[in-house]
Amino acid sequence: MNRLLIVGCGFLGEAIAVCFRIHGWEVICVARTAQEGGEVADVSDVESLRGLRQRVGAVSHVVHCASSGRGGIDSYHAVYEQGASNLVKVFGDAFLLMTSSSSVYAQVAGELVDESSETIPDRETGQCLLRSEQIALAANGTVMRLSGIYGEGRSIILKRWLAGVSRVEADGRRMLNQIHRYDAAEAFYLVATQQRRGEIFNVSEPKPKSQLETLQWLADHYGQPLPESEPIDMNRKRAWTDKTVSSTKLQQLGWKPKFNTFTDAVDVLEPTL
């Protein structure tokens, strides 16, 4: 039975739904509010999920990719930590794929990080993500740690460039680890079909560039000067880190992303922004 339940059918969830349906799977999309053709449930409310289970029945796989809606730590706890626990309680017979983030790696010296690297995030949100990962892993589920997600209609790097507000942070050495949403979706499909339970996978482009390399590429591409430099903002919403996220483990499974680095996708992205 190839029956997938996607909890959180937003920017990433939509791409996952498209990918699995192309491969012939039955896909059930779940959101907190009514969407065309989808189910309504609140992942932070176990009774809401029990009602969903009664309506849709058994599924073979569950992808938890619901968003906190840019909320604070309370929203993170409700959606990720409580959400993972509730899904295990209600859909514990399914293979849970938990969406996490490469932000759990707090390295700041440009280190290459893989799935075995130290994870000590200094923000409460990152710590909450780690706790949700442990819930999924304890249930023999798998954790997918995604880098910055972009795609048609959504790319903060390109939007800032086109708006003329890009700046080089200090020396620009910080690595920009990114992943196109459809490449991420293919990663979920590969891990699901290979039944790689109880593991962690980094989902990140194979050949990331530094911020300086990226902005220099954009400057050359558009025939414009390199933006000015500015000091590092240590109070940014997402903590300042500098690391290169390795997706070698995923590539060894046979994952072959369409975009090996963000700049490969620029010509596809620009008309949609």
Side-chain angles (χ1 to χ4, degrees):
M1 175 183 65
N2 292 330
R3 201 161 186 253
L4 173 67
L5 184 76
I6 303 176
V7 180
C9 283
F11 192 68
L12 174 62
E14 288 177 350
I16 294 173
V18 168
C19 175
F20 278 71
R21 283 170 176 153
I22 287 174
H23 289 289
W25 284 48
E26 180 184 354
V27 177
I28 304 165
C29 291
V30 181
R32 291 188 66 177
T33 57
Q35 295 181 351
E36 185 177 353
E39 290 282 342
V40 177
D42 182 352
V43 72
S44 67
D45 182 345
V46 70
E47 292 306 321
S48 178
L49 288 183
R50 287 188 173 122
L52 174 68
R53 176 68 188 250
Q54 290 179 348
R55 295 195 301 274
V56 304
V59 296
S60 58
H61 296 70
V62 174
V63 169
H64 181 3
C65 59
S67 168
S68 65
R70 298 185 179 181
I73 186 59
D74 290 342
S75 294
Y76 262 71
H77 171 76
V79 171
Y80 297 110
E81 200 170 350
Q82 189 61 51
S85 178
N86 290 342
L87 285 171
V88 169
K89 289 176 183 176
V90 179
F91 291 95
D93 50 345
F95 178 5
L96 173 62
L97 289 95
M98 181 76 199
T99 305
S100 185
S101 167
S102 62
S103 65
V104 298
Y105 301 113
Q107 286 79 351
V108 296
E111 300 97 323
L112 179 69
V113 296
D114 62 18
E115 292 81 359
S116 65
S117 297
E118 186 176 56
T119 52
I120 310 179
D122 59 1
R123 298 287 177 92
E124 285 186 279
T125 50
Q127 295 163 15
C128 181
L129 283 176
L130 282 179
R131 292 193 294 270
S132 69
E133 289 185 2
Q134 291 306 310
I135 292 169
L137 292 170
N140 203 25
T142 287
V143 170
M144 308 291 279
R145 289 177 177 162
L146 273 66
S147 289
I149 305 171
Y150 72 91
E152 292 75 5
R154 176 172 150 180
S155 169
I156 186 62
I157 295 173
L158 188 55
K159 279 186 177 180
R160 285 181 59 83
W161 177 270
L162 295 175
V165 296
S166 295
R167 296 292 182 270
V168 179
E169 292 178 317
D171 59 5
R173 67 178 170 83
R174 181 172 66 90
M175 297 302 293
L176 300 181
N177 300 286
Q178 300 275 292
I179 185 65
H180 191 285
R181 65 171 179 159
Y182 283 110
D183 284 334
E186 290 289 349
F188 277 84
Y189 176 75
L190 185 65
V191 170
T193 54
Q194 293 196 18
Q195 291 291 319
R196 299 297 293 245
R197 286 177 170 265
E199 298 189 60
I200 298 172
F201 289 93
N202 289 336
V203 186
S204 191
E205 60 190 11
K207 297 180 180 179
K209 288 182 169 70
S210 69
Q211 185 192 51
L212 180 59
E213 290 173 322
T214 300
L215 294 180
Q216 185 62 67
W217 187 96
L218 290 171
D220 294 342
H221 184 70
Y222 288 102
Q224 298 176 8
L226 187 69
E228 297 178 358
S229 179
E230 66 179 10
I232 295 170
D233 179 9
M234 301 305 292
N235 295 316
R236 59 195 298 167
K237 183 176 180 180
R238 291 189 177 182
W240 192 90
T241 63
D242 178 24
K243 72 267 183 173
T244 300
V245 179
S246 170
S247 58
T248 298
K249 180 180 178 181
L250 190 56
Q251 293 173 60
Q252 289 174 342
L253 285 188
W255 182 61
K256 297 178 180 178
K258 180 177 180 180
F259 302 109
N260 285 316
T261 189
F262 166 76
T263 53
D264 290 347
V266 166
D267 289 336
V268 175
L269 295 174
E270 183 182 1
T272 70
L273 295 179

